[in-house]
Amino acid sequence: MTPLGYALLCALHRGPLTGYELVRRMRRPIGYYWTARQSQIYPELSRLAELGLIASTGEPGPGPHQRMTHQLTPAGRQELADWLIQRPVPRPGRDDLILKTYAVAAATDRTAMREMYLAEAQRHEERLAEYRSQHAELLEQGGDDPRRLEFGAYATLELGIRLWEQYASWCRWLADQLATPPAEPPPTLASI
Amino acid sequence: MTPLGYALLCALHRGPLTGYELVRRMRRPIGYYWTARQSQIYPELSRLAELGLIASTGEPGPGPHQRMTHQLTPAGRQELADWLIQRPVPRPGRDDLILKTYAVAAATDRTAMREMYLAEAQRHEERLAEYRSQHAELLEQGGDDPRRLEFGAYATLELGIRLWEQYASWCRWLADQLATPPAEPPPTLASI
DNA sequence: TTGCTCATGTAAGAAGTTACATGATTCA
DNA sequence: TGAATCATGTAACTTCTTACATGAGCAA
């Protein structure tokens, strides 16, 4: 079982979906945090079906292919439940902006750098607004009750909001830092 | 140029390093956020040298290979500076724990689930303690001055601390949520 | 008549991981 | 004597991305 396989089981835990619906959901991060492309998803669905973790039924579709609907089998549900309680494998986060920040001293154009951080802050704030509206929607439906099916989505949004708030405000803080005294060579001798 | 190539240029921005030093630094995330393995690093260093972005000089080393020291060339410095001001490409974050949370309703053993969140919280808090001590160390050296070479490392730590604080406290919040009324079937009819 | 959405699939390539190889020196 | 650190490199594999293919129905 691959991580993508588990991601698909997760996506199906609330009920059956077609391959195409899964593709659309996983374009924007599922649980606001996991993405996959169609070229990954379709082969993986076949694999899950072979393993007996999902049941896939086809009906005639619009194009040259059948429209397939997938749902968890009892074995799939069990596999998912077993995986849920295992400690997650730590995946290395890779983030361009943090990398750039680490090397910020190598920037020759600090104004352009500052603008980049402000643009990123704005992007994160826009995403944040989206998350907040979905969060409010789920709250209205009682998604904050941990016994409800919707609680998972609510809880991931909760984290997403906390994280992006910090990220956005950090971007603005950095932009501020870069605005201060732009000139004067550093008082160290360490510049090679 | 690959993202890994830029990561190496970033790592070298403060001065020359040997391949092995780079390998060690990138085992733990550089700027507290980017990792790479030696099998990636060594070939990429050759590529960067071929492109003329780094200059690599060898001296006899302990084992069967030469000990190579790498440093940015003026062209490498320019390439880095140009890349820094470009908007970062958004990389999809992939996080097992968030995925698990999304499907938390499928958990059959909520106690085990709760323990998993507590264990994760602890792991993040340990990492946080490490970050905080490095943060304090950098502060003493005046790393909070945006004109200093150390400012990049200070700024990435600043973000790392904010992010992991949120992550850890969210884990504890979730554990709390899972502790409330463990039984009673949900009042929805939506369970397929 | 061009372009979009629905719907599934394949092929080629880039990026990352795991595992192995050499061989000197240092430490218990 | 056995393990760890220093030091660089290769091979095989998995995972993810980019790009392409089919073809129906619908809208401007």
Side-chain angles (χ1 to χ4, degrees):
Chain A
M1 279 293 299
T2 66
L4 174 64
Y6 287 112
L8 292 175
L9 295 184
C10 284
L12 290 170
H13 88 280
R14 280 166 66 172
L17 292 171
T18 68
Y20 189 70
E21 282 171 321
L22 279 166
V23 168
R24 273 191 315 176
R25 298 211 178 186
M26 300 195 80
R27 272 187 44 208
R28 291 225 138 278
I30 177 187
Y32 317 98
Y33 232 80
W34 197 285
T35 58
R37 304 294 169 105
Q38 68 181 73
S39 57
Q40 270 189 288
I41 292 172
Y42 287 116
E44 187 65 29
L45 285 170
S46 311
R47 276 201 52 236
L48 292 174
E50 260 178 54
L51 291 170
L53 302 177
I54 60 173
S56 311
T57 55
E59 17 157 21
H65 299 286
Q66 280 203 307
R67 176 187 153 97
M68 304 289 283
T69 301
H70 311 275
Q71 62 183 311
L72 294 184
T73 60
R77 226 163 243 293
Q78 186 62 50
E79 180 72 36
L80 177 55
D82 289 348
W83 175 74
L84 284 180
I85 55 174
Q86 279 166 39
R87 293 203 60 179
V89 286
R91 261 166 234 291
R94 290 196 174 89
D95 185 314
D96 273 24
L97 188 58
I98 301 183
L99 200 50
K100 282 168 200 258
T101 303
Y102 180 74
V104 71
T108 46
D109 185 347
R110 281 169 88 93
T111 314
M113 198 85 213
R114 203 176 108 76
E115 274 158 22
M116 198 265 290
Y117 282 109
L118 290 174
E120 285 307 292
Q122 207 183 342
R123 194 169 76 179
H124 294 318
E125 280 153 7
E126 279 160 19
R127 187 204 296 244
L128 203 45
E130 212 184 291
Y131 282 15
R132 274 201 244 265
S133 86
Q134 290 183 49
H135 186 264
E137 217 175 284
L138 275 172
L139 242 183
E140 265 177 45
Q141 295 165 33
D144 60 330
D145 182 343
R147 289 166 306 181
R148 294 286 271 281
L149 272 178
E150 299 83 16
F151 179 73
Y154 173 81
T156 55
L157 267 175
E158 187 73 29
L159 178 62
I161 290 170
R162 293 186 191 202
L163 255 32
W164 294 121
E165 266 174 1
Q166 292 300 318
Y167 205 123
S169 91
W170 175 80
C171 285
R172 297 218 173 269
W173 169 77
L174 241 167
D176 274 3
Q177 296 289 307
L178 293 174
T180 52
E184 293 195 64
T188 56
L189 297 170
S191 27
I192 320 299
Chain B
M1 279 294 298
T2 66
L4 174 63
Y6 287 112
L8 292 175
L9 295 185
C10 285
L12 290 171
H13 89 279
R14 281 166 65 174
L17 292 172
T18 68
Y20 189 71
E21 281 171 323
L22 279 166
V23 167
R24 272 191 315 176
R25 297 213 179 185
M26 301 196 81
R27 272 187 43 210
R28 289 229 139 275
I30 176 187
Y32 317 98
Y33 231 80
W34 197 285
T35 57
R37 304 294 170 106
Q38 67 180 75
S39 58
Q40 269 190 289
I41 292 173
Y42 288 115
E44 187 65 29
L45 284 170
S46 312
R47 276 201 51 238
L48 292 175
E50 260 178 55
L51 291 170
L53 302 177
I54 61 174
S56 311
T57 55
E59 16 156 23
H65 299 287
Q66 279 203 307
R67 175 188 154 97
M68 304 290 282
T69 301
H70 311 274
Q71 62 183 312
L72 294 185
T73 60
R77 225 161 245 293
Q78 186 62 50
E79 180 71 35
L80 177 56
D82 289 348
W83 174 74
L84 283 180
I85 55 174
Q86 279 166 40
R87 294 202 59 180
V89 287
R91 259 165 237 291
R94 290 196 174 89
D95 184 314
D96 274 25
L97 188 58
I98 302 184
L99 198 51
K100 282 169 200 256
T101 303
Y102 180 74
V104 70
T108 46
D109 184 346
R110 283 169 85 96
T111 312
M113 198 87 212
R114 203 175 108 76
E115 273 158 23
M116 198 264 290
Y117 283 109
L118 290 175
E120 285 307 292
Q122 207 184 342
R123 194 170 74 179
H124 294 318
E125 280 154 7
E126 279 160 19
R127 187 205 295 246
L128 203 44
E130 213 183 292
Y131 282 15
R132 274 201 245 264
S133 85
Q134 290 183 50
H135 186 264
E137 215 176 286
L138 276 172
L139 242 182
E140 265 176 47
Q141 295 166 31
D144 60 331
D145 182 343
R147 290 166 304 181
R148 294 287 270 283
L149 272 177
E150 300 82 16
F151 179 72
Y154 173 82
T156 55
L157 266 175
E158 187 73 30
L159 178 62
I161 290 170
R162 293 187 192 202
L163 255 33
W164 294 120
E165 265 174 2
Q166 291 301 318
Y167 206 123
S169 92
W170 174 81
C171 285
R172 296 218 174 269
W173 169 78
L174 241 168
D176 273 4
Q177 295 290 306
L178 292 174
T180 52
E184 292 195 65
T188 55
L189 298 169
S191 28
I192 321 297

